Amino acid sequence: MINDTAEAFVEVLETPLVAGAGALSGLTFAAKDNYAFAGRVAGNGSPAWKANHAPDTVTAPSLQTVLNAGAALAGFTKMDEFAYSMIGSNAHTGTPLNSAAPLRVPGGSSSGSASAVAAGLVDFALGSDTGGSVRIPASFCGLYGLRPGHGRIDGSGLKPLAPSFDVPGWFAPELDLMLRISAVFGLAADKATAPVRLWMPDTIWSRMDAAMRSALAPGIARAESLLGPALTHAIPLYGEIDWFETFRLHQAYEAWASLGDWIEVERPDFGPGVGERLAAAKAVSEETFAKVSQDRSAIRAAMDEALSGGVILLLPTAPGPAPLRDASQSDLELYRRATMPITCIAGLSGLPELTVPGASVDGAPVGLSLVAARGGEEMILDFARRMSAA
């Protein structure tokens, strides 16, 4: 039984569960508390949710895949309430430790999964990503984190927040293990198509301060040593359409569709920020949703074209290191609003994104993201391997 020194778990199994044998035998893992597991109630980051929902009857396929491959399930991890935050704090269950930067938050919403891996409590962990919930904790905790493209991995069995964005994802402390886990899901780096060029749009990079640019420069240099200088042209439609608002409103509409009926009946208590976002979600009209859905379709088409032919998009995973644990709610909201215009790029377009660790600002980790066209998971995994050897 794990000694949860990072306060990362909501439930630690007395004996890790082994249900198969295969490529992940001998490894331990944790699963975020929004994964269905037969005979258990997934808490979804909310004590009220857990108190009045029945146990699941079927285990989420992505969780079952890892079990079938021989990994031992150590327990279930803390998460932000309903996965509707990226900070990593939960008013009901607390804030897990960020072992890589103990004075800072771990990031969310897959906070406990990232915390458990960073603390060495498990070898790897499953999370989920809607608006950055794997990528941001990976960046904050100095881990590899993969958000597969939407629909590439079976996401059924995840408690829904915004189903057209929600995807399973996973964390690993080392690249070799990230590749090993990904291969179990059919994402084998050895089967990758080679990329042909890099793209670092000024749209995003011009917003980064000197400290972030300096920290990420060695990783960028390794990437450019393989494919030459990156293109820097703007992201298409980024000026004509407000990408952040498109994401925010689309996600909000789906979140209320997923949670609203239950909320109206149960009237649960919410932590800071979550209740306000859900109240705003309730107010999103059908007309507004139709408009942002149209904008999202245009964005997806533009990004499909921009990434065609083997382009890898390089982005800072986040605008800086994790906020401090004692940051004010207003400062956390400012950080969230600086982050979402970056993370929404892959989310709106359904793209795969891999967070690569190895840099730091003010002594705290920051990640570099590799993004590819839909279906390009193998490409970015293989390119990360090539970067590590460059």
mmCIF file of all heavy atoms in Angstrom, residues 142-162:
data_model
loop_
_atom_site.group_PDB
_atom_site.id
_atom_site.type_symbol
_atom_site.label_atom_id
_atom_site.label_comp_id
_atom_site.label_asym_id
_atom_site.label_seq_id
_atom_site.Cartn_x
_atom_site.Cartn_y
_atom_site.Cartn_z
ATOM 1 N N GLY A 142 7.151 19.022 -14.364
ATOM 2 C CA GLY A 142 8.352 18.525 -15.026
ATOM 3 C C GLY A 142 8.227 17.123 -15.573
ATOM 4 O O GLY A 142 9.156 16.315 -15.491
ATOM 5 N N LEU A 143 7.087 16.807 -16.187
ATOM 6 C CA LEU A 143 6.796 15.475 -16.701
ATOM 7 C C LEU A 143 6.520 15.505 -18.197
ATOM 8 O O LEU A 143 6.209 16.551 -18.768
ATOM 9 C CB LEU A 143 5.566 14.896 -16.001
ATOM 10 C CG LEU A 143 5.614 14.800 -14.476
ATOM 11 C CD1 LEU A 143 4.240 14.408 -13.945
ATOM 12 C CD2 LEU A 143 6.672 13.811 -14.021
ATOM 13 N N TYR A 144 6.618 14.330 -18.813
ATOM 14 C CA TYR A 144 6.042 14.151 -20.139
ATOM 15 C C TYR A 144 4.536 13.949 -19.975
ATOM 16 O O TYR A 144 4.093 13.222 -19.070
ATOM 17 C CB TYR A 144 6.641 12.921 -20.839
ATOM 18 C CG TYR A 144 8.056 13.129 -21.305
ATOM 19 C CD1 TYR A 144 9.125 12.833 -20.471
ATOM 20 C CD2 TYR A 144 8.321 13.633 -22.574
ATOM 21 C CE1 TYR A 144 10.433 13.032 -20.882
ATOM 22 C CE2 TYR A 144 9.628 13.836 -22.996
ATOM 23 C CZ TYR A 144 10.671 13.542 -22.148
ATOM 24 O OH TYR A 144 11.968 13.754 -22.565
ATOM 25 N N GLY A 145 3.765 14.586 -20.828
ATOM 26 C CA GLY A 145 2.314 14.431 -20.782
ATOM 27 C C GLY A 145 1.756 14.414 -22.182
ATOM 28 O O GLY A 145 2.071 15.302 -22.983
ATOM 29 N N LEU A 146 0.960 13.404 -22.506
ATOM 30 C CA LEU A 146 0.374 13.292 -23.846
ATOM 31 C C LEU A 146 -1.123 13.476 -23.795
ATOM 32 O O LEU A 146 -1.827 12.770 -23.058
ATOM 33 C CB LEU A 146 0.697 11.927 -24.465
ATOM 34 C CG LEU A 146 0.125 11.720 -25.876
ATOM 35 C CD1 LEU A 146 0.762 12.681 -26.881
ATOM 36 C CD2 LEU A 146 0.303 10.278 -26.336
ATOM 37 N N ARG A 147 -1.588 14.442 -24.583
ATOM 38 C CA ARG A 147 -3.005 14.573 -24.906
ATOM 39 C C ARG A 147 -3.169 14.019 -26.322
ATOM 40 O O ARG A 147 -2.743 14.645 -27.305
ATOM 41 C CB ARG A 147 -3.423 16.047 -24.893
ATOM 42 C CG ARG A 147 -4.844 16.268 -25.453
ATOM 43 C CD ARG A 147 -4.967 17.577 -26.221
ATOM 44 N NE ARG A 147 -6.038 17.509 -27.200
ATOM 45 C CZ ARG A 147 -7.327 17.735 -26.946
ATOM 46 N NH1 ARG A 147 -7.704 18.093 -25.756
ATOM 47 N NH2 ARG A 147 -8.224 17.618 -27.895
ATOM 48 N N PRO A 148 -3.734 12.814 -26.493
ATOM 49 C CA PRO A 148 -3.990 12.318 -27.853
ATOM 50 C C PRO A 148 -5.032 13.183 -28.552
ATOM 51 O O PRO A 148 -5.806 13.905 -27.910
ATOM 52 C CB PRO A 148 -4.528 10.897 -27.621
ATOM 53 C CG PRO A 148 -4.128 10.548 -26.225
ATOM 54 C CD PRO A 148 -4.125 11.843 -25.472
ATOM 55 N N GLY A 149 -5.049 13.126 -29.872
ATOM 56 C CA GLY A 149 -6.077 13.820 -30.613
ATOM 57 C C GLY A 149 -7.454 13.271 -30.271
ATOM 58 O O GLY A 149 -7.609 12.104 -29.889
ATOM 59 N N HIS A 150 -8.455 14.125 -30.395
ATOM 60 C CA HIS A 150 -9.806 13.728 -30.002
ATOM 61 C C HIS A 150 -10.280 12.548 -30.838
ATOM 62 O O HIS A 150 -10.233 12.582 -32.059
ATOM 63 C CB HIS A 150 -10.768 14.892 -30.153
ATOM 64 C CG HIS A 150 -12.069 14.667 -29.468
ATOM 65 N ND1 HIS A 150 -13.154 14.114 -30.110
ATOM 66 C CD2 HIS A 150 -12.460 14.856 -28.183
ATOM 67 C CE1 HIS A 150 -14.157 14.005 -29.270
ATOM 68 N NE2 HIS A 150 -13.765 14.448 -28.092
ATOM 69 N N GLY A 151 -10.696 11.490 -30.156
ATOM 70 C CA GLY A 151 -11.213 10.311 -30.828
ATOM 71 C C GLY A 151 -10.172 9.263 -31.151
ATOM 72 O O GLY A 151 -10.530 8.160 -31.570
ATOM 73 N N ARG A 152 -8.887 9.566 -30.972
ATOM 74 C CA ARG A 152 -7.851 8.581 -31.302
ATOM 75 C C ARG A 152 -7.851 7.429 -30.292
ATOM 76 O O ARG A 152 -7.583 6.282 -30.649
ATOM 77 C CB ARG A 152 -6.479 9.264 -31.349
ATOM 78 C CG ARG A 152 -5.346 8.348 -31.827
ATOM 79 C CD ARG A 152 -5.460 8.044 -33.303
ATOM 80 N NE ARG A 152 -4.597 6.960 -33.714
ATOM 81 C CZ ARG A 152 -3.324 7.098 -34.091
ATOM 82 N NH1 ARG A 152 -2.753 8.306 -34.100
ATOM 83 N NH2 ARG A 152 -2.613 6.057 -34.479
ATOM 84 N N ILE A 153 -8.121 7.742 -29.032
ATOM 85 C CA ILE A 153 -8.209 6.741 -27.966
ATOM 86 C C ILE A 153 -9.648 6.739 -27.450
ATOM 87 O O ILE A 153 -10.251 7.796 -27.289
ATOM 88 C CB ILE A 153 -7.244 7.077 -26.809
ATOM 89 C CG1 ILE A 153 -5.810 7.215 -27.318
ATOM 90 C CG2 ILE A 153 -7.325 6.038 -25.698
ATOM 91 C CD1 ILE A 153 -5.237 5.965 -27.933
ATOM 92 N N ASP A 154 -10.173 5.559 -27.179
ATOM 93 C CA ASP A 154 -11.550 5.448 -26.694
ATOM 94 C C ASP A 154 -11.682 6.187 -25.360
ATOM 95 O O ASP A 154 -11.070 5.820 -24.360
ATOM 96 C CB ASP A 154 -11.898 3.970 -26.521
ATOM 97 C CG ASP A 154 -13.370 3.733 -26.213
ATOM 98 O OD1 ASP A 154 -14.084 4.700 -25.854
ATOM 99 O OD2 ASP A 154 -13.815 2.565 -26.313
ATOM 100 N N GLY A 155 -12.492 7.243 -25.360
ATOM 101 C CA GLY A 155 -12.685 8.044 -24.159
ATOM 102 C C GLY A 155 -13.949 7.713 -23.393
ATOM 103 O O GLY A 155 -14.273 8.405 -22.416
ATOM 104 N N SER A 156 -14.661 6.671 -23.795
ATOM 105 C CA SER A 156 -15.855 6.302 -23.043
ATOM 106 C C SER A 156 -15.431 5.853 -21.641
ATOM 107 O O SER A 156 -14.341 5.335 -21.424
ATOM 108 C CB SER A 156 -16.625 5.187 -23.754
ATOM 109 O OG SER A 156 -15.832 4.020 -23.896
ATOM 110 N N GLY A 157 -16.304 6.119 -20.695
ATOM 111 C CA GLY A 157 -15.980 5.802 -19.312
ATOM 112 C C GLY A 157 -15.325 6.931 -18.556
ATOM 113 O O GLY A 157 -15.102 6.808 -17.351
ATOM 114 N N LEU A 158 -15.006 8.028 -19.224
ATOM 115 C CA LEU A 158 -14.600 9.245 -18.537
ATOM 116 C C LEU A 158 -15.864 10.004 -18.144
ATOM 117 O O LEU A 158 -16.772 10.168 -18.968
ATOM 118 C CB LEU A 158 -13.753 10.146 -19.429
ATOM 119 C CG LEU A 158 -12.316 9.743 -19.738
ATOM 120 C CD1 LEU A 158 -11.695 10.759 -20.684
ATOM 121 C CD2 LEU A 158 -11.493 9.639 -18.470
ATOM 122 N N LYS A 159 -15.926 10.488 -16.920
ATOM 123 C CA LYS A 159 -17.063 11.319 -16.548
ATOM 124 C C LYS A 159 -16.994 12.597 -17.374
ATOM 125 O O LYS A 159 -15.986 13.294 -17.385
ATOM 126 C CB LYS A 159 -17.035 11.635 -15.052
ATOM 127 C CG LYS A 159 -17.080 10.391 -14.175
ATOM 128 C CD LYS A 159 -18.264 9.498 -14.511
ATOM 129 C CE LYS A 159 -18.148 8.136 -13.905
ATOM 130 N NZ LYS A 159 -19.209 7.211 -14.365
ATOM 131 N N PRO A 160 -18.038 12.909 -18.105
ATOM 132 C CA PRO A 160 -17.948 13.985 -19.091
ATOM 133 C C PRO A 160 -17.940 15.373 -18.471
ATOM 134 O O PRO A 160 -18.650 15.647 -17.514
ATOM 135 C CB PRO A 160 -19.192 13.778 -19.948
ATOM 136 C CG PRO A 160 -20.173 13.104 -19.039
ATOM 137 C CD PRO A 160 -19.346 12.232 -18.139
ATOM 138 N N LEU A 161 -17.125 16.231 -19.062
ATOM 139 C CA LEU A 161 -17.209 17.670 -18.829
ATOM 140 C C LEU A 161 -17.675 18.311 -20.125
ATOM 141 O O LEU A 161 -18.771 18.866 -20.195
ATOM 142 C CB LEU A 161 -15.870 18.245 -18.380
ATOM 143 C CG LEU A 161 -15.858 19.779 -18.250
ATOM 144 C CD1 LEU A 161 -16.840 20.244 -17.177
ATOM 145 C CD2 LEU A 161 -14.458 20.301 -17.985
ATOM 146 N N ALA A 162 -16.851 18.210 -21.159
ATOM 147 C CA ALA A 162 -17.209 18.723 -22.480
ATOM 148 C C ALA A 162 -16.801 17.647 -23.487
ATOM 149 O O ALA A 162 -15.658 17.597 -23.936
ATOM 150 C CB ALA A 162 -16.482 20.034 -22.762
#
